[in-house]
Amino acid sequence: MSELVTRVARRLRHAYAREEDPSSVGGHAAALAAFAGYTAAWAAAVLSRGRPLPERPEPWDLALTSVATFRLSRLVSKGAVTRPLRAPFTEYRGPQGPAEVHEEPRDGATHTVGELVSCPFCLSVWTVTTLTAAGLLWPRATRTVTGALTALAGADVLQLAYSALTEKVTGGDD
């Protein structure tokens, strides 16, 4: 498998030779291979349980999973409290928003991992895969987790709305 990834990475690097940083193509190819393996492992776990897949997702589960994916991906990739998880792969650049930080991937072998863990859009693909598979294996527990993450997202909206309203009413004076 690693030989195939290496060959594909070389071809992609050559095809993108005019890019500013063609070396990232190899890391992205490795990340795609890792994601394929991750997804295959979840699929095998779901299939081993022998439970049939639902005909279609339930709308309520889609809503919970969407909001939970957003919140968890943002918490892991931007949260100030989760900086220790990203620190080996990123460099701190400064605050970004309420309780969030801006980080850039470190150079070197861990650059692609740094991109993944500091980008909520990139991380959301892994997050939704995890939550979807977990929902197939452990539906009640997963609904509890996605419900809690959805409530957290709702609380965030209320906190931001409260701050904006307070600032408007007081004119920014404390």
Side-chain angles (χ1 to χ4, degrees):
M1 181 73 159
S2 65
E3 187 178 317
L4 173 65
V5 171
T6 303
R7 279 198 321 250
V8 169
R10 265 194 225 121
R11 285 185 182 162
L12 289 173
R13 210 174 288 129
H14 178 70
Y16 287 90
R18 287 179 266 161
E19 264 191 25
E20 284 182 34
D21 183 16
S23 64
S24 67
V25 174
H28 292 153
L32 285 171
F35 182 73
Y38 183 71
T39 303
W42 273 114
V46 169
L47 290 172
S48 73
R49 294 284 295 261
R51 292 170 48 177
L53 293 176
E55 190 173 311
R56 64 185 160 280
E58 294 295 326
W60 183 245
D61 287 332
L62 282 176
L64 285 177
T65 302
S66 296
V67 176
T69 296
F70 160 78
R71 189 63 198 104
L72 185 57
S73 297
R74 193 111 198 134
L75 177 64
V76 172
S77 66
K78 296 291 180 186
V81 72
T82 55
R83 278 183 61 200
L85 300 175
R86 298 182 307 273
F89 313 105
T90 61
E91 293 179 3
Y92 178 77
R93 297 289 189 224
Q96 181 168 319
E100 290 191 345
V101 297
H102 174 71
E103 296 168 322
E104 293 289 329
R106 292 184 185 275
D107 290 332
T110 63
H111 182 83
T112 301
V113 176
E115 284 183 318
L116 175 66
V117 299
S118 64
C119 171
F121 297 98
C122 304
L123 196 55
S124 68
V125 175
W126 293 74
T127 304
V128 76
T129 299
T130 304
L131 292 175
T132 300
L136 294 170
L137 292 171
W138 311 288
R140 292 178 74 185
T142 303
R143 280 189 194 104
T144 300
V145 170
T146 56
L149 288 164
T150 299
L152 179 59
D156 290 347
V157 169
L158 292 172
Q159 293 288 359
L160 293 170
Y162 178 82
S163 294
L165 182 62
T166 302
E167 188 169 323
K168 185 175 181 172
V169 169
T170 63
D173 297 330
D174 287 330

